[in-house]
Structures are given as structure tokens and as C-alpha cells.
Amino acid sequence: MANSKYEYVKSFEQPDTLLPNTWIVVRIDGRGFHKLSDRYAFKKPNDRRALDLMNAAAVEVMKDLPDLAIAYGVSDEYSFVFHPSCELFERRSAKLVTTIVSTFTAHYIYLWGTYFTENPLQPPYLPSFDGRAVVYPAMGNLRDYMSWRQVDCHINNLYNTTFWTMVQQGGMSNTDAERELQGTVSSDKNEILFTRFGINYNNEDEMYKKGSVIYRQYQLEDAKPASNPSIEQDEGSSVPEAISKSQQEKLKKLRRKAQVVVNHVDIIKDEFWERRPWILSGRPGKLPEA
Amino acid sequence: MANSKYEYVKSFEQPDTLLPNTWIVVRIDGRGFHKLSDRYAFKKPNDRRALDLMNAAAVEVMKDLPDLAIAYGVSDEYSFVFHPSCELFERRSAKLVTTIVSTFTAHYIYLWGTYFTENPLQPPYLPSFDGRAVVYPAMGNLRDYMSWRQVDCHINNLYNTTFWTMVQQGGMSNTDAERELQGTVSSDKNEILFTRFGINYNNEDEMYKKGSVIYRQYQLEDAKPASNPSIEQDEGSSVPEAISKSQQEKLKKLRRKAQVVVNHVDIIKDEFWERRPWILSGRPGKLPEA
Amino acid sequence: MANSKYEYVKSFEQPDTLLPNTWIVVRIDGRGFHKLSDRYAFKKPNDRRALDLMNAAAVEVMKDLPDLAIAYGVSDEYSFVFHPSCELFERRSAKLVTTIVSTFTAHYIYLWGTYFTENPLQPPYLPSFDGRAVVYPAMGNLRDYMSWRQVDCHINNLYNTTFWTMVQQGGMSNTDAERELQGTVSSDKNEILFTRFGINYNNEDEMYKKGSVIYRQYQLEDAKPASNPSIEQDEGSSVPEAISKSQQEKLKKLRRKAQVVVNHVDIIKDEFWERRPWILSGRPGKLPEA
Amino acid sequence: MANSKYEYVKSFEQPDTLLPNTWIVVRIDGRGFHKLSDRYAFKKPNDRRALDLMNAAAVEVMKDLPDLAIAYGVSDEYSFVFHPSCELFERRSAKLVTTIVSTFTAHYIYLWGTYFTENPLQPPYLPSFDGRAVVYPAMGNLRDYMSWRQVDCHINNLYNTTFWTMVQQGGMSNTDAERELQGTVSSDKNEILFTRFGINYNNEDEMYKKGSVIYRQYQLEDAKPASNPSIEQDEGSSVPEAISKSQQEKLKKLRRKAQVVVNHVDIIKDEFWERRPWILSGRPGKLPEA
């Protein structure tokens, strides 16, 4: 065909397959959300509508891609995690990342009006997201990644809650509040909130303090007694089990049947993971009895 | 800070900077648009609303990213091109690709109702797009990439036009039409259209035959007389000119001032490029006189 | 300095850092050794001088790079393994690979005359090696890589031994021997060797049957009783322990003190690894008592 | 075959094909040559035996790989250049780099005794080299790379010549010489050499001042008159010409017939390249008449 003369350009595409047997984390971030949150009058320090919208869009991504093991969101970012056994799109990085970014964006835009009933979108200033993929070789690295994001959530939320309380309730200027908070540690901020404003930070909304975890729901298992988690290089052998195409389809169906839930809990300690072993094992659990 | 214990996970992110002084092409493709076009009853072989919507979303991307030199779209795909001198996002591949994919998706979803007035979106079946970046070292490679896409447009449109005319006007079954077209060349299809249905393919809509080109409009220049295009490796030296930050900003502003236009013309021959030298040079032309 | 005008070319170098917390395997292969073995009259199926030379060069590489955990060689190839905690050359792939290839080549050429006393090198036909790096996320993958090479050694050596015995002792032509061996399994070849030539393959040289393993020698530990090796994804957490520069230097010194030994043993079963836990743990054992 | 169980480990190898239609530069550097030059008593600032040995090894690499277009060496480094049309080893980076590093090392070790007749190699302290590949999209970038190395050669040699003359003939300590040279420009160093030691730097050995260029010799062409070199992005189209396998072999043979020459000349100005157009064109010239 006449096209063959130009078709050589296809050979310039470089492969971007992610290393097999590693955890794939796709993190997306809102583009210019600082400015955007002003334009659409997001409430400070947390706008429930904005967070609910983030979660709703992420739930749709989880439903659309049954291969996803878990997702974690805070502020204008969301991390989506694929299990090491995942073979979706032959693990091509750009394909995985753009599919998630685009699906997320589509639902975010579509659902905007449901959450922001009074603030319609003002083109061309539409929200958008960028994203990237990172792979982690060991389960410990993945757990640490998740812990990193949740600790970050805590640190930022404590700061923002204190800062905005000082400004909104304390009548301070942004600059003054910022200056006073410089160099303070967590206990200082808790103290400011409590003594000056009678606010017990522990009573703040769990979603604000812990962020949002999304996963498929199966029957919870008992937590293990006093575990002694190894923080060493994995010792297990790791032949990726040969899973037949038909079995993969079966697993996919099982995953589609499970309910996708949003939760605001600690994912740093072992308990969360021990009671939901299907997340790290990559094998669906038992569906909860009706 | 307490976070430092987990922060090491950041070091697993691998750099994905694209080679300097190369053309960057980001191509996006509709995900599962075959199925989607059925769900939303796209007209065959071409649905003007769908193509107009693609173009409208692409125009918004061009406006949002003044660094883009040109874009070309056909069917459910769009290619966006950055000049070799582009330093946007430090040329990080994932950042460039996801920004384009997300911005495009956002506008596509937002504008859907404007073009598909009778077919509202049916969640969770929302349109989405994947994307990838490819770099081309020489201008000739970039030109060949663009030619490749436009030849593809022509080949597919001629086939689809003939096929659907045989089915829709000729009352043939899909299978019969497909069988008859197997092995035919362009002239055969032109012949079928003309003798059986009185259709002169040349009179078909330019957008369907040529696809859509989007670029910034400056004053057209005269086409060169009988050029003798070299098809060899470039012979020019290529020190990327050191452009100061302030000059980059100035160029950006000039680009923002230019009108973004959609056109349906031949981009394989030299004329298109010679009359619009700013596209390949990366330097804004003169704004057209009012 | 005047050089600054050209120095921008440095920015075209792309990073090639290998993923952290993964096993790094650098495998080198003789270039054109089929032809080379003819030129220098290597004995078939195994030339002890050639293998001893390979091992001697590999020992020097192990001594030169204390970061290396283990090496395995067969025929004209050698695999060198770095532990996941290795930070040598910031894990830059090209640096690691070329250092090993060059050091190996240097000693191979230098020592040639010691092993091939009657066949001096004939320039320009000098032996050379190419190489590549592959990373493995889990210890199980690394073990499987090592098993893969040793099984390959076994398969090839059984075939070659049978083939060359049929030719050299049986007087068959290469073509006839090849044809007869087509489609045979291991037991067939053992049978041919035993019934026709009175050769018990089990009595062949261990080096030919098992290849060569090189590692640092510490006090052997007892093998574990009936282990039940997991073949799943690792379950261990995996914070790379922060090792101070000074401690790294100390470990390096300890490694330099250990004797580098060459062995011809099974590395597929667990026993080899259980008795030498320092190889997989990355922590030097106790030096053997004098 | 039994091996299949482990063979999956092959899939972890990641492709490393270099971008088509780009110049490939493989630069190798001596490992720890500062220490090595002390051990083997290299003369300062330049040891002719060491440089001749570098050149001799590089000539062998050029002969071994007819695909190489040109090489440039200075001190303990050598850059080898492949033309954009090169398809050797399918342009796999590790393969190209290690082949050059290993071939170079082999000849360097083999020829050592020819050049260092009084300083035999002292194992285990053998010279070795590391290497890396960098690609350049435009001819201008490649020319700039070569200029960068030659300017570097000039700067370093002028410094070293002045420094060692001050120490060796002027009786200064290393520290004093270093301190005096701090902040000086070229003219200052020329002045020191001339007024204090009666040395005209221009009369120094061309090899020391210019480094060494290696290429295949064909009939020289006339230099162009007053060229006006473009320093812009290339304007030429660049379809890589489809070269048949048989034609590639023919070109290879032509290249093998050409003499490989070592030269010490300016490669920054255009003249060198204009008179030897075969280097940048990738097409062998006419063999010089006998």
C-alpha cells in the first residue's frame, strides 16, 4: 500500500514496558489546583465537595479497571496501585498512566455539577490532571509508599487546619499565621487549636485526617496476633505463577462482582492489610454474605 | 520530619526526559471507540458531530499549551507536535502526555452536549483516551509522520465511504461488502462509488478526506518555486539557540495572540509548510493585519 | 571558558540508573566464540584451558569488585550478580556493565598465555566479550535466573558430550550425529553414551556438568531441615536499611578479606544457598577459622 | 524442555534500542588512570607511549567495526561515532558499548608490551575502561560534540604543559604551581611558558595539542569556498533510505578496503569535514589512487 513509504516512522516509538513482578503505582495530580481552587471558591482548609468528587471519580476508575488493587487519595492527588502479577496493556507505562488519567478526568468533569451545584465549570478553565508511573520491587516498598502518602496527608492537614483556623477564626493575616507556625511541631499545632479555639484535632473529620482508601470489599479476616514484620529484603521465591487467559478472565469477573468501597482509615499499621489479605495477595477473597 | 522514614520511596521514580533537539509527537487515541460509537449511535462512515467535537477539544489543547506547533486529527485520534526547541515540563514524557490527554478529555466531556444534543452521556460509559509520546530527530521524519497519518486517513476514508455506501445505499450485507472490497485498490473503489452510486469521491467533504490540521495563524508567505527537497540526513548544524527565560515568555505571549485555526488541507506536499514557515521554524510569524 | 559554547552536548546523555532494591545481573558473552574456538583449536566438547581461563578472569573481577555477591559461568558466558542493596556507581547500568566487561577482558587477554601455552593470540583476532544488565525484583527471580543458567549448562553439556563422542569415538559425521540426536531426551543421550561407548555421564567432570560458581568463602552454616520454599511474591517488607558510608567501607573491607572460591556444585536446590546465607543476605559471614 | 520453568526470567530484560536516525557516540574512559599512570610511571604532562597505545587500540576497533565513521581520542578517553544510518546490533546500546569497550581493552592489554617495553603489566593492576552511549539528533550536535572534546583537549593540555613545566623545569612544588595558575587564561599560560622557559606552545606536538582523529582514508575533496554554516535546526527531510542487506554488505566491504588513518588536526572548523565528506555522509568515497 502507498502508506508503506511513510510507515517506517512507527519504528521510532520506543518500548516502555514496566519491569515484571513489581508493584505499579500510578499517581495523578491536579494541574494548577491552587489557582483552580480559588476560581471555584473551594473551602479552606478542606472542601468536602471537592474531596467527594475526587473519590467519586476514583471509584469509577477502580470499577473500570478491575486489575487495580487499591487506591489512595488526598487533596488533589490520587495513587492507583496494580499488583505485581498485573499484565494489563502488557504493562506499557504510557498506556496504563494515560488510561487512568483520562478515565479519572472524564468522570471528574462529568460529575462536577453533581458536587458543585452552585459553581458550574467555566471553560476554558477546566480541571485537568497529570500522572506518572513508578514501580516498587518489594511489598515493603509499596507499603512504605502508601505510608508516605498518608503521613503527608496528616502533616499537611494538621498544618492547614491550624493555619486556616488562625486566619478564619483568629482573624490573623495569612502572613502572621504562617510566621507563627514556622518551626512548630505537631504538638504545638494541636495546642494552638485546643487552647485558642477549643478544637480537638482528633475530632476532625476522618477523611481530612486520613485521606481516602478505595478497594474491593470481601469478607474481612481476623487480624494476626502480635506480628513481627520483617523490614528486610524479601526472602520469598517469586516465580510469577503462570495464569491462563481463561483464569485471568475468571478473576476479573470475581473482581467486578465485589463492591468498591471508600474508607478513611489507618493504612500505615499492619492491621488494615492483614484483615484484607486480598489486596496484597492479588487473589480475590470471599464475597461478604448478603 | 516524621515523613523522612518513608520518603526514600521517591528515589524509585525513574527519569523520562525526552532527547533534546527532537520533535515530540504526542498521539492520543479513543479507548474502545468502536463500541462507544455504537452506544452513542455515531453515523457511518463519518459522524460530523463526533469529528467537530474532536476538533473543538483539540483547539482547546492548542490554546492551553502555546508550545504546541501543530496538531493533526482523524477519526478518534489526534497527534500534537512540539518543536525541537520545546522545554515544556523539562521535556518529561509522562508529564507532557498526561497533560495533553487530560486536557483533551476534559474539554471533550465538557463539550459533548454541545455537539451531541440528542445523545447525552451515559455513565459509566464515558469516552476516554490513551496516549504516548514519540520523538523524531529530523524535520523530514516529522513530515513523514504527518504524511503517514494523512495517507492513513485517505485510505481508511475511501474504504469506509465505499463500504458503507454499498451497505446503506446498495443494500448489501456487511459481510458481502467486505468480501467484495477485499483486494481492491483505490481506483476500484472510486469506480464502484461512481458507476453504482453516482458518487464522485472527490466531492466528498474535505474534512473526511484530509482530516483536520490545527495551527496558529500568521500571515501566509509565498510558496517557493519548484523546490528540490532533500531526502537525506539533515546537513545543518544544530546548536539549540540559548533562549532566555524572558524571551521564551515573550514568544509564548506572541503565540497566545495568534488565532488557532482548523483546516482540512494537504499536508504531504511542501506547499502547506512553505507558506506557514512558523510551524517548522518554531518562531511566530507576523499577525495577520486586521 | 571557551568550552561552554559546546558543553550543552552533555545534556543529551540520558540517565540509566537501575531500579533500586533489585538484584542486578550482568551477563557477559564471548563474541564470535564459535569461530574463535576453531582458530585457537579449542577441544570439543569442553576445553579445560578455556574454562579455567574464564574462571581465572572471573575471579579477578570478583576480587576487583567486592560489591559482587556471586558469579556463575558456563562455556563462554559469565553472570555476575549484585545484591539489591548495592549502590556501586549509583547503579548506573552502562558503568556497571562496561566495568565488568573491560576488567574481565583485560584479565582474559593477560592470562591467555598462562592457559594456552601452545596457542598464542593472533592479532587482530583477539577474544572479546559483550554484556548487558538485567534486574530482578525478588530473590526468587534471581534464584530462578541462576537455575536457568545451570539447567542450560546441563542440557547443552549432555548434548555436546553425546554429539562429540558419536563423532570422535563413533566416527560419525557431524550431520549424521546431529540427525540422530534430533528429538531425543536426556535418557536417550545417557543411553547412547553408556551402551555404545561405555560412558557413564555421571562420571563426567563436575565443572562440565554443573558450570562454575564463584563467591566469597565464610564459615558454612547448617542446612535447614525440610524447608518449604514459598514460590509466591515476597511477603517481606523492604525498607532498604540506611547504611552509612563508613559502614559500607567496613563491609567492603570484610569482603576483601574473604577468599574468593570457585566451585562446581548444584545451585538449583536450596542447600547451596542455605549453607551460604551471606550470598543472598548481602551481609558478610564469619571468616573461616585458620 | 525442563528449562522452560525458569525461562520466564528472560522477559525481565528490557530493550535498550537507540533512537533511529541519530548519531551514536560511544565514549570510553580509562578507569582510575590517575593512579594507574603513577604505577606505570607515565611521563607528565604527556606520555607518548601511552597515547600511541591508545591510538593503536582505537585503530583496531575501527578496523573491527567498519560501521564506525570516525573516532577521536585524547588522554585516556576515546569517542567512537556511528552514522545515523547504522543498524549494527539493531542499535542496541549495551551491545554497541560493550563490544567497543571489550575490543579496545583486548588490544590495549595485548599491545601494552609493544609500547611499554620497560614497564610490564603488574596484575591484578590491569588497565580497564568504562563506556557509555549518547545519541545526537542533528549533524550540528555531533560536530559540537567533537568540538567540545577537542576544545577540552586544548584547555587541559595547555594547563598541564604549563603546570608540569613550572614543576619540572621551574622547580616549583605542585601546590605552588597550581596556586599560581588559578584564574589564569590561555594567554597567561602562553606567556609563562614563553617568558620563563622559552617555550612556544605552538611548537608543541600536534598530537598533544589537538588529540587524535581516526577515520577511513579516501580521496580528499576540495574545501568549499566561504561557507555560511547554518546553526539552526536541520531543514532537510530525512527518510532513512532503505538500504538492502546486499548493499549494506557491499558498503561494508568498501569500508574494509579503506586505510584507517590517525591524524592530529583541527576538527572544529569546517575544512576537515568538507574535505572528507564521506565521514558525515556515511557513504564511502573513492579509494586514493595507488
Side-chain angles (χ1 to χ4, degrees), chain C residues 136-195:
Chain C
Y136 291 104
M139 187 184 288
N141 298 135
L142 187 264
R143 285 278 307 273
D144 288 341
Y145 174 85
M146 301 299 273
S147 298
W148 176 49
R149 299 324 301 142
Q150 193 166 53
V151 170
D152 224 44
C153 167
H154 167 71
I155 292 170
N156 291 332
N157 191 58
L158 178 54
Y159 181 94
N160 291 339
T161 303
T162 315
F163 175 87
W164 286 107
T165 304
M166 291 163 80
V167 169
Q168 290 165 353
Q169 300 187 26
M172 289 175 76
S173 74
N174 286 15
T175 323
D176 286 349
E178 200 183 331
R179 195 176 300 133
E180 183 171 346
L181 287 174
Q182 223 159 18
T184 58
V185 296
S186 293
S187 55
D188 299 329
K189 300 192 192 77
N190 276 305
E191 185 72 10
I192 290 174
L193 284 173
F194 193 69
T195 52

Side-chain angles (χ1 to χ4, degrees), chain A residues 19-23 83-84 135-141 144 224 230-241 283, chain C residues 19-23 83-84 135-141 144 224 230-241 283:
Chain A
L19 188 69
N21 200 28
T22 53
W23 296 88
H83 191 264
V135 298
Y136 291 103
M139 187 184 289
N141 298 135
D144 288 342
K224 288 184 199 162
S230 145
I231 43 167
E232 308 295 299
Q233 166 71 16
D234 67 277
E235 307 226 350
S237 173
S238 187
V239 188
E241 292 167 87
R283 288 183 222 89
Chain C
L19 188 68
N21 199 27
T22 54
W23 296 88
H83 191 265
V135 297
Y136 291 104
M139 187 184 288
N141 298 135
D144 288 341
K224 289 183 198 163
S230 144
I231 44 168
E232 308 297 300
Q233 167 71 17
D234 68 276
E235 308 225 350
S237 174
S238 187
V239 189
E241 293 167 86
R283 288 183 220 90

